Amino acid sequence: MKPSEMRNLKGEDFQKEIESRKKELMELRFQAAMGTLAQPHRVAQLRREVAQLNTIRREQTVSELKNGASK
């Protein structure tokens, strides 16, 4: 998912996306521990996506707080 697509998500969807990526990441870590990991690059990709989702969610929260405070 691209950051531009992430910015279009609503609050509840952010949490769902983060949870699904963390779950997939956990599964990939188990596969890596067992030596059956087919796509090792996917681990870094998922970690990056989780970080991006958290960052965008935080940006939106700060923006909402600033807009609420300035009114």
Side-chain angles (χ1 to χ4, degrees):
M1 179 180 284
K2 295 180 181 181
S4 59
E5 295 170 352
M6 292 178 189
R7 292 186 193 285
N8 294 329
L9 294 175
K10 303 296 179 214
E12 299 166 359
D13 295 332
F14 269 107
Q15 194 59 35
K16 289 178 186 176
E17 289 292 326
I18 291 170
E19 288 176 11
S20 69
R21 280 169 174 69
K22 283 186 177 183
K23 183 178 179 182
E24 185 179 350
L25 185 59
M26 184 178 66
E27 291 171 2
L28 289 177
R29 286 181 179 151
F30 283 133
Q31 289 176 7
M34 294 181 63
T36 61
L37 185 59
Q39 298 176 345
H41 69 279
R42 187 73 177 129
V43 174
Q45 187 179 29
L46 284 172
R47 291 182 68 217
R48 185 178 308 115
E49 287 180 5
V50 169
Q52 288 174 337
L53 284 165
N54 282 327
T55 300
I56 292 170
R57 182 174 61 174
R58 177 70 179 146
E59 287 174 353
Q60 290 177 348
T61 302
V62 169
S63 176
E64 289 173 5
L65 289 174
K66 284 184 179 180
N67 289 338
S70 64
K71 289 183 178 180

